[in-house]
Amino acid sequence: MITELFELYALRKDFFLELLLQHIRISLIVGIIAGTIGLLIGIFISQKKKLAPLVIGIINVIYTIPSISMLGFLIPFTGIGDKTAIIALIIYGLLPMVRNTYTGIIGIDSSILEAARAMGSTPFQVLYKIKLPLAAPVILSGFRNMIVMTISISSISSFIGAGGLGVAVYRGITTNNAKMTMAGSLLIALLALICDTIIGKYEKRISKKRRIKS
């Protein structure tokens, strides 16, 4: 089976390369947008703690909606294709970013923040120079989870005409071609594993620097 997969990759290399690049492009767009929005929401609710249970609760409820149902709900508004897939993936990507940003910031020792304020630091300086750097490992962990989840879930987007490696999986299923399905699935898993490893190493590096500074 492995030999047959490599033969398929060699025979259809242009096809798989195009799908791989599409998958990476979609994941990057989602990662940047969901990461930014999730970070900002997490920072906001860490400052307005009374709103945190409501905001996180709403995102949790949205997160429980099956991905295929979310795609179907968005189609009448945004049509089929990459746009709908990206919007749905951004919505799903918010939870780990918001939760980890909020958890990382409120988990900082209050004595550190009080010392910074006593030294005359402005709220922005406290946020930028103390809260975010100290919460960085937790925030990065949320970003890592979000990226891996995005790479995995985006394969379903092929059912609504979006690009990416899910096209190979979908084509394999509809034509009863087990090799094509396996080839697409394997590339998705490898891409997720590579991204997880890269971000994980950077996360450890950040944590190590934090321990040294401490």
Side-chain angles (χ1 to χ4, degrees), residues 127-145:
L127 173 65
Y128 179 71
K129 294 185 177 181
I130 297 176
K131 288 184 177 180
L132 290 180
L134 290 178
V138 181
I139 296 173
L140 197 56
S141 177
F143 181 77
R144 178 183 179 184
N145 293 335

Side-chain angles (χ1 to χ4, degrees), residues 16 19-20 22-23 155 163-170 184-185 187-188 191:
F16 284 110
L19 296 184
L20 178 62
Q22 289 175 359
H23 208 98
S155 60
L165 291 166
V167 173
V169 177
Y170 177 71
S185 301
L187 286 177
I188 292 171
L191 181 60

Side-chain angles (χ1 to χ4, degrees), residues 1-13 16 179:
M1 185 65 176
I2 295 177
T3 304
E4 292 177 348
L5 281 176
F6 279 109
E7 289 177 353
L8 180 59
Y9 287 139
L11 184 64
R12 304 290 302 276
K13 60 181 180 181
F16 284 110
K179 287 189 294 183

Side-chain angles (χ1 to χ4, degrees), residues 20 41 44 47 55 85 95 98 161:
L20 178 62
I41 294 175
F44 176 75
Q47 309 298 320
V55 174
L95 178 60
V98 172

